[in-house]
Amino acid sequence: MASGGAQDTSPSGSSSIPSQASQEISVLPNALSTRNIEAFGRKVTTTASHLLGPLADPTGSSHYQSALGEIHKELRRPNLQRRVFSFTQSSPTELVRSKLSTSEIQYRAITYLPDELLANIPEDENVYSLFEGFQATLPESSEHHGKGHRKRNSRGQRLLGEQGGSDSDSPSPPSMAKLKKTKNSLVHRLEMLGVRKNMASAEVREIDHKIANLNNMRRIVFDRVADLEQEEASLEHELLTAHNRIEDLQDELDDAAETTPATPIQKTEAGSDEALDSQAMDASFMSESIYEKIPSPKSNRKPKTIRRKSMPILHEHFEPGSSIKEIQAHNDIITAMDFDVPFGTMVTAALDDTVRVWDLNAGRCMGMLEGHHASVRCLQVEDNIVATGSMDASIRLWDLSRSEYQPPEYHKDGEDEDDGLGFENPDDLPPPPPASNMQDCPLFSLEAHVDEVTALHFKGDTLVSGSADKTLRQWDLQKGRCVQTLDVLWAAAQASATLSTNDSQWRQTGRLPDASADFVGALQCFDAALACGTADGMVRLWDLRSGQVHRSLVGHTGPVTCLQFDDVHLITGSLDRSIRIWDLRTGSIHDAYAYDHPVTSMQFDTRRIVAAAGEDVAKVYDKTDGRHWDCGAGVNAEEEGRHPATVERVRINDGYLTEGRKDGVVGIWTC
């Protein structure tokens, strides 16, 4: 019976077994073949026939055999095998998509998202579907262009036919269907143009939204940079305080070591009592006498430069020409100003006979440098060392690291700090700094000139000053004394004699009002090189080793008021309303440009030259692209209804610009 069951199934599918087997093998390379399935079915059938009924009873196992045959037929179907194999190979995502609709999947996914993420999803305000947008972006078919060309050609041929004669047939009028088709085509093109226009407008709005988000992110990161620089400034101040304490402790230890050998011990008690009485009398005499004001050894210390560990970069992220701060520094014309680094320390001097030190980061006054008996005409800030030259013919050096200024505490969370004792009016100025803030800053005074000091510059241990007494003096800052005096009139006379001119007397070449030009307008030194600009319009290059002028630059027709040089170029400004750029290698003029008013101050950095030229703005010249532009309060003064004062002094460092005006206001800008 088993053989009969096997024979009953094999003839019906014997002809298709090879083709089915090849198809199954191609579809299921790793599954069982049909022949193996048949062998397995025969074994199962034989085993079941022996277990369920005797071999002699043909009716007992007929139902079982028929059922097993049906199962065998189902197993031989390739579609079922493909479904089973595809089910085993399907991923969970495909199974979910096959069982759930798209809307249900979106709903289930959104229900698990937090509200913070859902709030930033932009709403789809586009009125056109994706298919309409795709259809609008497709290029127009060439039939329209061909029809247009054919129309133009037919029209031209028709005109030629009319000119040639009446032999050609006149074109028939267009039918109504053709006109409607043309109209519908034009309407469709117009609709597609509208779709494209709206799509482009939507892209513009999306770009604007992205720009707004980027600006918001930039503002957040910008505030973070400001916070970090505030922390850096606080740490710099703490580091400076620790450094000063170490130096003070070292000075005390050195003093104690010097005074260690004690006076000889008296053998008798009477002698010891007399010694104690004499010491007490000396102490009382010294405390009550004028000698108590003798400067202590600490005040006669040598200047020591302390450099910052970090450099501010916040100003680099402002737009050029942006206003950072305005400070009412003085009540009179600002005569000199300088600062060390952006957002660092600034020193200003004015005709109100005061010299003020400013914290540019907080915009408040740190204290006043008191010691001069007249107004300061020139000054320089180099790290923590300040040199000031006054109309009292003296030069004083100061160490700002010895100040007792405490910077204001910075609050990150926008908390307002108490600026003093609680002002009734928030526009009121903060209280003046204590007079004791700068009492330890004076180092020493240099006095050798007999007239006001109008220009100075120091580098390292060398300081050079120029005075209205028509001399230049070189100072050794380690010894605190003058080591060389250069007579400008004698140098001018020697140059005139060398040129064999009959008139060797001093003459002023510029047409200027009285008291508007200094004899020595500006100078700068580096090692043994010295550049000096004077009231005769000459720029003289000196060799400090020999004390001789080795080159004179002739070109200005008015007094030179400012100059600065680097490795290649020397730039000078004059009251003749011009700025000239000289090539130090050849001594010739490399470039020059003029303004409408006299130039009173000038400085340059790696990229820009800024100048004060008698206007309410600072003149900026970009050396990279050769562009001239204005920076200052006067740019938008007419629109805002303001009238700022004339800019008298400018200083720039790494794109950080400070300008001092005639009304005592100091403006801080980026350029």
Side-chain angles (χ1 to χ4, degrees):
M1 292 180 65
S3 61
Q7 291 174 1
D8 186 41
T9 58
S10 59
S12 62
S14 60
S15 61
S16 61
I17 285 176
S19 60
Q20 290 180 357
S22 61
Q23 185 177 2
E24 291 170 355
I25 291 173
S26 62
V27 175
L28 305 173
N30 297 326
L32 295 174
S33 63
T34 307
R35 185 172 298 176
N36 293 333
I37 294 175
E38 291 176 354
F40 178 74
R42 286 195 298 269
K43 292 179 182 179
V44 172
T45 303
T46 305
T47 304
S49 64
H50 284 286
L51 292 176
L52 297 177
L55 295 175
D57 188 6
T59 61
S61 59
S62 60
H63 180 70
Y64 174 75
Q65 291 177 358
S66 62
L68 201 61
E70 293 294 333
I71 294 174
H72 186 68
K73 291 179 181 179
E74 290 293 334
L75 290 175
R76 291 179 58 187
R77 292 182 179 180
N79 294 332
L80 179 62
Q81 295 178 1
R82 291 194 189 97
R83 288 199 297 269
V84 174
F85 181 74
S86 63
F87 179 78
T88 58
Q89 296 295 326
S90 299
S91 62
T93 304
E94 294 175 351
L95 292 176
V96 172
R97 289 179 177 175
S98 63
K99 298 297 181 182
L100 301 176
S101 63
T102 304
S103 60
E104 188 175 0
I105 292 174
Q106 291 178 352
Y107 174 75
R108 295 190 179 188
I110 291 176
T111 54
Y112 293 102
L113 291 177
D115 295 336
E116 292 80 4
L117 296 178
L118 296 176
N120 295 327
I121 298 178
E123 296 182 359
D124 189 8
E125 300 177 354
N126 196 354
V127 297
Y128 300 101
S129 64
L130 181 62
F131 177 75
E132 291 176 339
F134 176 74
Q135 188 179 10
T137 55
L138 289 176
E140 297 180 2
S141 60
S142 59
E143 297 179 359
H144 300 287
H145 300 287
K147 290 180 180 179
H149 286 298
R150 284 197 296 270
K151 288 178 181 179
R152 287 192 290 269
N153 293 337
S154 61
R155 182 170 178 269
Q157 292 175 0
R158 185 169 65 253
L159 293 175
L160 290 175
E162 291 176 358
Q163 293 177 1
S166 60
D167 297 338
S168 60
D169 298 334
S170 60
S172 60
S175 62
M176 183 64 67
K178 182 183 268 187
L179 290 176
K180 288 184 178 180
K181 185 178 179 181
T182 304
K183 176 186 175 183
N184 294 334
S185 175
L186 294 176
V187 170
H188 177 72
R189 290 178 61 187
L190 186 61
E191 291 177 353
M192 293 299 102
L193 287 176
V195 172
R196 280 190 284 180
K197 181 182 71 173
N198 288 324
M199 290 174 60
S201 178
E203 289 182 4
V204 171
R205 286 194 296 270
E206 184 179 358
I207 292 173
D208 292 338
H209 183 68
K210 291 180 180 179
I211 291 175
N213 290 336
L214 289 175
N215 289 331
N216 190 24
M217 294 174 60
R218 184 186 185 278
R219 180 182 57 80
I220 295 173
V221 178
F222 183 82
D223 295 339
R224 191 184 308 163
V225 173
D227 294 339
L228 293 175
E229 290 202 351
Q230 292 283 354
E231 294 180 6
E232 275 187 351
S234 178
L235 290 178
E236 288 277 358
H237 185 267
E238 293 178 4
L239 181 63
L240 184 60
T241 303
H243 178 78
N244 291 335
R245 289 180 178 177
I246 292 174
E247 280 195 348
D248 293 342
L249 182 58
Q250 186 64 38
D251 292 341
E252 292 177 1
L253 293 177
D254 294 342
D255 295 341
E258 292 178 358
T259 58
T260 298
T263 56
I265 300 176
Q266 301 294 332
K267 294 182 180 181
T268 61
E269 296 181 358
S272 61
D273 294 339
E274 292 176 359
L276 292 174
D277 294 340
S278 62
Q279 291 178 3
M281 188 186 342
D282 292 341
S284 63
F285 171 74
M286 291 297 292
S287 63
E288 295 175 357
S289 67
I290 194 173
Y291 295 103
E292 185 184 4
K293 297 183 179 180
I294 293 178
S296 62
K298 198 178 296 184
S299 64
N300 290 329
R301 57 185 176 270
K302 302 298 185 295
K304 185 176 181 180
T305 300
I306 302 175
R307 296 192 177 275
R308 291 173 58 100
K309 303 295 183 182
S310 61
M311 293 295 293
I313 60 172
L314 185 65
H315 63 283
E316 298 177 0
H317 303 288
F318 283 96
E319 290 292 331
S322 300
S323 175
I324 299 178
K325 199 183 297 290
E326 275 196 0
I327 302 173
Q328 183 65 49
H330 297 273
N331 298 322
D332 209 334
I333 300 175
I334 292 180
T335 56
M337 60 185 300
D338 197 9
F339 66 96
D340 53 358
V341 294
F343 298 100
T345 303
M346 178 179 66
V347 181
T348 60
L351 291 181
D352 57 5
D353 297 343
T354 60
V355 181
R356 298 177 184 267
V357 184
W358 300 88
D359 181 2
L360 291 176
N361 197 16
R364 62 170 58 189
C365 182
M366 300 169 54
M368 291 188 290
L369 302 179
E370 299 177 345
H372 285 291
H373 303 294
S375 298
V376 169
R377 295 293 312 278
C378 54
L379 63 87
Q380 180 185 350
V381 179
E382 190 73 22
D383 295 322
N384 58 298
I385 304 299
V386 180
T388 56
S390 172
M391 297 176 68
D392 61 3
S394 67
I395 301 169
R396 291 182 179 269
L397 268 74
W398 319 77
D399 186 358
L400 297 183
S401 65
R402 293 290 172 176
S403 65
E404 299 178 1
Y405 170 73
Q406 294 294 332
E409 296 182 0
Y410 181 70
H411 303 276
K412 292 184 180 180
D413 298 332
E415 300 176 359
D416 294 334
E417 54 172 324
D418 292 336
D419 200 2
L421 303 176
F423 306 110
E424 296 180 359
N425 186 3
D427 296 332
D428 289 344
L429 296 176
S436 60
N437 278 6
M438 301 293 169
Q439 63 181 1
D440 294 334
C441 292
L443 292 176
F444 49 80
S445 177
L446 305 175
E447 299 179 357
H449 287 290
V450 297
D451 206 339
E452 60 177 301
V453 179
T454 57
L456 63 83
H457 186 270
F458 70 91
K459 189 72 175 179
D461 296 333
T462 301
L463 184 146
V464 179
S465 60
S467 171
D469 60 7
K470 301 178 179 57
T471 62
L472 306 175
R473 292 184 181 269
Q474 179 184 357
W475 306 83
D476 187 350
L477 297 182
Q478 289 293 331
K479 300 178 182 179
R481 62 185 182 88
C482 179
V483 296
Q484 184 175 200
T485 301
L486 306 175
D487 192 340
V488 181
L489 288 179
W490 179 83
Q494 291 295 321
S496 300
T498 304
L499 296 175
S500 300
T501 57
N502 296 327
D503 187 10
S504 61
Q505 296 180 357
W506 177 268
R507 65 182 186 278
Q508 188 167 307
T509 56
R511 294 179 297 174
L512 303 166
D514 295 337
S516 62
D518 298 323
F519 185 87
V520 179
L523 56 85
Q524 181 183 349
C525 62
F526 182 78
D527 288 340
L530 170 65
C532 171
T534 52
D536 61 347
M538 299 282 288
V539 180
R540 295 177 175 84
L541 306 181
W542 300 72
D543 187 351
L544 294 178
R545 294 168 296 187
S546 61
Q548 301 292 327
V549 177
H550 65 86
R551 178 174 291 176
S552 297
L553 305 180
V554 181
H556 284 293
T557 59
V560 177
T561 57
C562 45
L563 65 82
Q564 184 184 354
F565 64 82
D566 56 12
D567 297 336
V568 180
H569 296 106
L570 181 141
I571 304 179
T572 57
S574 170
L575 293 183
D576 62 2
R577 303 178 299 178
S578 69
I579 286 182
R580 298 174 185 265
I581 304 174
W582 310 80
D583 192 335
L584 291 176
R585 297 165 297 185
T586 61
S588 60
I589 294 180
H590 174 73
D591 194 4
Y593 52 91
Y595 294 114
D596 297 332
H597 303 281
V599 178
T600 57
S601 180
M602 180 276 305
Q603 193 180 21
F604 68 86
D605 59 5
T606 56
R607 179 172 178 173
R608 309 160 193 84
I609 302 175
V610 296
E615 299 183 17
D616 54 4
V617 294
K619 298 292 185 177
V620 183
Y621 172 66
D622 196 323
K623 296 185 290 184
T624 304
D625 54 10
R627 181 172 63 96
H628 291 266
W629 56 286
D630 298 338
C631 179
V635 175
N636 300 323
E638 295 182 359
E639 300 176 359
E640 299 175 359
R642 298 185 297 112
H643 301 282
T646 303
V647 176
E648 283 291 316
R649 295 289 181 266
V650 291
R651 307 300 291 175
I652 188 172
N653 186 355
D654 194 21
Y656 187 88
L657 170 65
T658 60
E659 43 94 7
R661 308 169 194 167
K662 282 189 174 182
D663 57 356
V665 175
V666 174
I668 305 171
W669 308 80
T670 59
C671 66

